Amino acid sequence: MTGDGSGPEAGGTDGTDGPDRGGYAVADTDARAALESAAAATATGVLVVDGGTVTFANASAGRYLGRAPTDLAGSAVGTALTDRAAAAVDAVADGGGERTVALTPDESDAAADGVAATVSPDGDRVVVTLTRGERTDHGASGDDTARLALDADGRIAAWSRGVEALTGWSAAEAVGSDLSLLHPDDVDGDPRAALDRARSEGAIETAGWRLRSDGTEFWAAVSVAPRRDADGAVTGFDLRLRDRTDRKRLADERELLATVNHAIADADGFREGVETTLQAVCAHTQWAYSEAWVPAADGEALEHLVGHAADESLTPFLRASRDVTFDAGEGLPGRVWATESAEWIPDASAAPADVFHRAAVADEVGLQAALGVPIRTDDRTVAVLTFFLRERRAADEELVEAVTDVAADLGALVARKRAEEDLRTFRKAVEQAGHSVYVTGTDGSIEYVNPTFERVTGYDAAEAVGSDPAILNSGEHDEDFFADLWATIRDGEVWTGEVVNRRKSGERYVVNQTIAPIVGDDGEIERFVAINDEITDQKRREREVRRQRNSLRRIKQIIESLRPINRELARADTRAAVDRGVCEGLAASEAYLAAWIGDYNAAADEVTPREWAGVDDAFVADLDPGRSAETGDDLYGPAIAEGEVQAVRDLTTAPVASPRRERALAHGFQSQAVIPVVYGESVLGVITVYSARPEAFDEYERGLLAELGERVGHAVNAAENRQLLHTDTVVELVFEVGADDSPTASVAGELGCRLSLDGVAPAAEGSYVAYVAVDGARPAAVADALAERDGVVGTRVVEAHGETGVVEMTGGADPVAALVERGATVCEFETTGEVATIRCEIAPRSDVEALITAVEAAGEDTVFAAKRTRDRDVRTIELTRTAVEERLTDRQREALALACHAGYFASPRNSTGEELADVLGISSPTFYRHVREGTRKVLELLVDDEDAPRIVT
């Protein structure tokens, strides 16, 4: 990019200024500080005191006082100034007028070469300006005073050595000249106006710019006194001149300060703040034109930000500047940007194009001397200011110093505004942060909390500030924990860790806490900031994940433990083998320590242990598995009554007097479960299992153990059935069942017919299906009557021949179901009135008393009638039944039995496969598969020579 006018415009082509490129907004709360920083436009030292504290000090003040401005700002006035100057500040602050005092170690009056402090009121504040003694370059020495005399017409009549020294004109040159000799041409007003006032008013004091012989100007305080004759007529004037240039400049600088202060207070951004500064500097100094340049968005070149012209004649230069960009090192702005130092050009209009690109336009509008200064922050140049005079001039050091000070203070303003903006951004981020944040002093007292702290802890800022962080102490951590924390942060290091805190409500919560020291410029720790990320939910989720993982491991362990038990149950052919396999398998597993199994006697309502493993006989002898809940030690009652697994997941927390707790402590048990042994709707007994795992037996584990209880129930039933098949003698039992307990007896009495039971088979959902032979009534009438009885869930006519046939009844066979569930074989069920007779057979080693009790308990109108032991019928086919029992699965045996009783094999069929599948609660294809596989296995037994049955006669 070049500076020949071809670059991108910084503003519009219609003469309007470009957009605001700064973004450093001057907020109302920051306006005063911004004004003070931007207005320090001269080498004069300036301090602003508000409430006894220095709120602003420019770079020159720092040089006068030998301290950095940043050190002065914020200090008490008594520490920044001498006692006399501080007293003057206090006097002015109390309503006194402006005063000047010496600022020298011996507190003497201000001297020509000493430092003077002029203390002035400025609204609610006090402004202190620091200067050297008055300028004496052209002043008279000793008692020689700059005096001159004029005649009545205003011509110079007398010229003293003092005025010669002050102005540079000799008496020979001055005497006889008009008073206008001392007045610059560009100063407005008639030089004789002061004489006219003196003529009418008498002695007066006036001031203004005066001209020296070398063309330079000075500010003079002029005393004018008329001379009169005896008649009172004015015969001439006596004038006394005093050089007050420094005071004038000081006054101008203070006016500039006030002007800039008030102007920048209304500025909305960096651009407007810079523009205001340019206008103020030009208005109070000799600059005719000024402009500001800032880096473009890509940072590759400078572009025009804003310009200020003293009058419309300079507008062409302003327009041309808007269309120019400068690379680093290119043109005056580019060189200042690259070197980061000020540069003076005596005559820009006559400079070569490579030195000053806009020389032609400058010459056209009459701009000559030029100055460029950088505006720097701590780390970079953020802008370049350029100023122009209408005359050619060699470098004016005072002017350069004044403008450089303005730029320095403006850079400080930018840096401070940026820091304030960063601070506001940081504070806003902290205020809106999702983390709880608080700041403490080095003594640990809380100085600040953010809104999230209030929300998380329950303490509002008023409660927390001034308190100790111990208000959050949950008691979870010991003294060593906090000693390590404090030692770490007091060593200047960052501490990070998990902390369990307590809310105001008393609720505990967990945070990831980071505590960092806040270090001052001197390297000393000033505060600590604590950032807290609440992870209570995360910790809860982690615990849940761990619990789930542990649960999965336990489930796997339990499944592995149950697998060998299932194999033992499949091989067990006696009840004793079933009991032994269950107890030994559970006790030998990794999941459990001990187990025992017992029978349930419904009549006595008690459980009697049959087998155990993992504990000794004494342990079993001390058991009291009664169903009384008085001791609070009962798990067996709910397990038997509800048919569901019951557990105590932490035995050590059981009541102190509980026998269960005592046994747990003695044997190392942590948890216990009672598993009902279920077959169909009946509970045959219970299995009690103990574990060393705390919190064992969760819902999923209880589900697995419930399945084990059902498998054991089936195994017990199968073992007793097998025992019945393999014995030569049987125990025959006879029961009489009243109409209240038997739907078939009730219907037989109602219809006056004879009903008998052809067979019973298991049905879906733990129910039973019975096939009832009808004699003396229409089967349809029997089916309808049975369907109306309680407990009957379905009926169907299987076969009908007038008043004979077969009816299928699902449910409603309560005493029969109790017998079948306990392994008995129902041989006869017949009723011709309202009382039915049931004859069944059981193996000799079966628990006859328990069976009788269970059947009688199944109804209110069922009684035991007779018992006898007899030999099995000779026509029993021992080998075939044994072989079939070993070959068929339970489902295949159920399907074949149901098909046989329901006339599935009759021709024509009395029942379809779909109907029988519905009875079993399975699909038709599954029913057909069971029948085919069962039939195949039976036929294989009959035709295989090696396994051919022998009929015993």
Side-chain angles (χ1 to χ4, degrees), residues 111-333:
D113 57 351
V115 177
T118 300
V119 185
S120 308
D122 183 27
D124 295 334
R125 305 175 306 166
V126 174
V127 176
V128 181
T129 53
L130 307 176
T131 60
R132 295 288 178 186
E134 291 184 347
R135 178 175 181 153
T136 58
D137 293 6
H138 301 278
S141 60
D143 296 331
D144 217 351
T145 303
R147 298 175 183 275
L148 68 152
L150 304 179
D151 60 19
D153 295 328
R155 293 186 176 277
I156 299 173
W159 192 260
S160 71
R161 287 181 301 173
V163 74
E164 182 177 345
L166 177 60
T167 65
W169 274 296
S170 65
E173 295 173 308
V175 173
S177 299
D178 190 81
L179 178 61
S180 61
L181 173 71
L182 297 175
H183 287 254
D185 294 337
D186 58 354
V187 173
D188 295 334
D190 184 359
R192 297 180 180 276
L195 302 182
D196 294 339
R197 282 185 53 208
R199 193 188 305 274
S200 60
E201 299 176 12
I204 63 168
E205 296 285 337
T206 185
W209 289 106
R210 297 298 183 262
L211 186 65
R212 295 190 179 95
S213 61
D214 61 4
T216 61
E217 297 177 5
F218 66 97
W219 185 265
V222 183
S223 299
V224 182
R227 295 193 308 275
R228 300 179 183 273
D229 58 18
D231 297 329
V234 175
T235 60
F237 301 90
D238 293 326
L239 279 66
R240 185 176 65 175
L241 279 64
R242 295 181 299 279
D243 186 355
R244 293 292 185 261
T245 303
D246 285 339
R247 291 189 181 183
K248 171 60 177 174
R249 287 181 176 172
L250 176 58
D252 287 347
E253 289 160 2
R254 288 174 57 193
E255 184 179 355
L256 171 62
L257 173 62
T259 301
V260 172
N261 280 347
H262 292 297
I264 295 184
D266 298 327
D268 292 329
F270 176 66
R271 179 185 183 281
E272 187 171 345
V274 171
E275 183 176 18
T276 301
T277 300
L278 296 178
Q279 292 172 353
V281 171
C282 289
H284 293 80
T285 61
Q286 306 168 47
W287 301 111
Y289 178 85
S290 57
E291 59 191 7
W293 302 83
V294 294
D298 59 7
E300 296 296 327
L302 288 178
E303 59 186 12
H304 192 266
L305 175 65
V306 65
H308 171 69
D311 55 56
E312 294 182 358
S313 66
L314 299 176
T315 300
F317 191 83
L318 175 60
R319 289 188 180 136
S321 298
R322 291 195 185 114
D323 295 334
V324 179
T325 60
F326 292 100
D327 292 337
E330 183 182 24
L332 176 61

Side-chain angles (χ1 to χ4, degrees), residues 393-476:
R393 185 185 296 185
D396 187 326
E397 295 301 329
E398 289 187 1
L399 206 51
V400 171
E401 184 178 4
V403 174
T404 301
D405 283 347
V406 169
D409 289 337
L410 196 55
L413 166 67
V414 172
R416 190 170 75 184
K417 294 305 294 181
R418 182 185 298 166
E420 290 172 354
E421 185 69 20
D422 290 344
L423 182 60
R424 280 194 295 272
T425 301
F426 173 75
R427 187 181 184 91
K428 185 177 180 181
V430 170
E431 296 288 341
Q432 298 179 357
H435 295 347
S436 166
V437 179
Y438 63 90
V439 177
T440 74
T442 54
D443 62 350
S445 61
I446 297 174
E447 298 180 354
Y448 166 81
V449 298
N450 73 338
T452 303
F453 175 96
E454 297 178 290
R455 177 177 56 79
V456 170
T457 67
Y459 292 99
D460 59 35
E463 294 175 296
V465 172
S467 301
D468 190 276
I471 60 174
L472 305 177
N473 192 342
S474 65
E476 179 74 16

Side-chain angles (χ1 to χ4, degrees), residues 461-514:
E463 294 175 296
V465 172
S467 301
D468 190 276
I471 60 174
L472 305 177
N473 192 342
S474 65
E476 179 74 16
H477 308 288
D478 57 22
E479 293 181 0
D480 291 341
F481 177 87
F482 291 106
D484 173 70
L485 184 156
W486 278 104
T488 300
I489 61 178
R490 281 175 174 155
D491 285 342
E493 299 178 6
V494 176
W495 184 91
T496 301
E498 284 187 8
V499 181
V500 179
N501 282 335
R502 183 185 61 195
R503 307 185 207 274
K504 184 179 180 180
S505 64
E507 177 189 3
R508 290 189 172 195
Y509 65 102
V510 186
V511 296
N512 256 336
Q513 186 175 71
T514 298

Side-chain angles (χ1 to χ4, degrees), residues 380-698:
R380 62 192 176 100
T381 297
V382 296
V384 172
L385 303 183
T386 54
F387 298 87
F388 296 84
L389 295 172
R390 292 182 182 272
E391 62 186 52
R392 186 184 190 284
R393 185 185 296 185
D396 187 326
E397 295 301 329
E398 289 187 1
L399 206 51
V400 171
E401 184 178 4
V403 174
T404 301
D405 283 347
V406 169
D409 289 337
L410 196 55
L413 166 67
V414 172
R416 190 170 75 184
K417 294 305 294 181
R418 182 185 298 166
E420 290 172 354
E421 185 69 20
D422 290 344
L423 182 60
R424 280 194 295 272
T425 301
F426 173 75
R427 187 181 184 91
K428 185 177 180 181
V430 170
E431 296 288 341
Q432 298 179 357
H435 295 347
S436 166
V437 179
Y438 63 90
V439 177
T440 74
T442 54
D443 62 350
S445 61
I446 297 174
E447 298 180 354
Y448 166 81
V449 298
N450 73 338
T452 303
F453 175 96
E454 297 178 290
R455 177 177 56 79
V456 170
T457 67
Y459 292 99
D460 59 35
E463 294 175 296
V465 172
S467 301
D468 190 276
I471 60 174
L472 305 177
N473 192 342
S474 65
E476 179 74 16
H477 308 288
D478 57 22
E479 293 181 0
D480 291 341
F481 177 87
F482 291 106
D484 173 70
L485 184 156
W486 278 104
T488 300
I489 61 178
R490 281 175 174 155
D491 285 342
E493 299 178 6
V494 176
W495 184 91
T496 301
E498 284 187 8
V499 181
V500 179
N501 282 335
R502 183 185 61 195
R503 307 185 207 274
K504 184 179 180 180
S505 64
E507 177 189 3
R508 290 189 172 195
Y509 65 102
V510 186
V511 296
N512 256 336
Q513 186 175 71
T514 298
I515 305 178
I518 300 174
V519 181
D521 294 337
D522 57 0
E524 295 296 322
I525 296 174
E526 296 179 346
R527 292 176 180 80
F528 300 105
V529 58
I531 302 174
N532 305 272
D533 179 15
E534 184 179 356
I535 56 173
T536 306
D537 290 340
Q538 175 186 330
K539 300 299 289 186
R540 187 180 298 115
R541 287 193 298 269
E542 289 176 356
R543 288 195 300 271
E544 179 64 19
V545 169
R546 285 195 299 271
R547 187 195 66 76
Q548 291 176 353
R549 288 176 179 170
N550 292 336
S551 178
L552 290 174
R553 283 195 293 268
R554 287 197 301 271
I555 290 169
K556 181 179 179 182
Q557 186 183 58
I558 294 165
I559 292 174
E560 294 294 331
S561 301
L562 297 181
R563 185 172 291 122
I565 297 176
N566 293 334
R567 289 195 293 266
E568 288 297 322
L569 291 177
R571 289 195 293 263
D573 56 358
T574 64
R575 173 65 187 274
V578 171
D579 295 343
R580 186 171 56 255
V582 170
C583 292
E584 292 180 352
L586 288 172
S589 70
E590 295 181 0
Y592 308 109
L593 292 179
W596 62 266
I597 188 169
D599 283 337
Y600 169 60
N601 187 324
D605 196 21
E606 65 180 13
V607 175
T608 303
R610 288 174 52 93
E611 184 69 40
W612 51 87
V615 291
D616 54 21
D617 295 349
F619 178 88
V620 178
D622 290 339
L623 290 173
D624 182 20
R627 293 190 56 188
S628 173
E630 295 179 358
T631 63
D633 199 45
D634 178 40
L635 291 177
Y636 305 97
I640 293 169
E642 301 171 13
E644 297 179 353
V645 176
Q646 305 295 315
V648 176
R649 303 190 66 190
D650 189 355
L651 284 166
T652 60
T653 61
V656 175
S658 169
R660 183 186 300 117
R661 181 177 185 273
E662 296 176 1
R663 289 193 297 272
L665 295 176
H667 291 81
F669 302 149
Q670 295 286 323
S671 49
Q672 172 188 357
V674 175
I675 309 161
V677 177
V678 179
Y679 184 75
E681 297 295 323
S682 301
V683 176
L684 307 181
V686 296
I687 302 169
T688 303
V689 61
Y690 303 92
S691 174
R693 292 175 288 121
E695 298 298 321
F697 304 116
D698 59 14

Side-chain angles (χ1 to χ4, degrees), residues 61-86:
R63 288 194 292 271
Y64 279 122
L65 299 174
R67 294 175 60 183
T70 54
D71 290 339
L72 290 169
S75 63
V77 68
T79 63
L81 300 174
T82 61
D83 292 344
R84 179 175 293 180

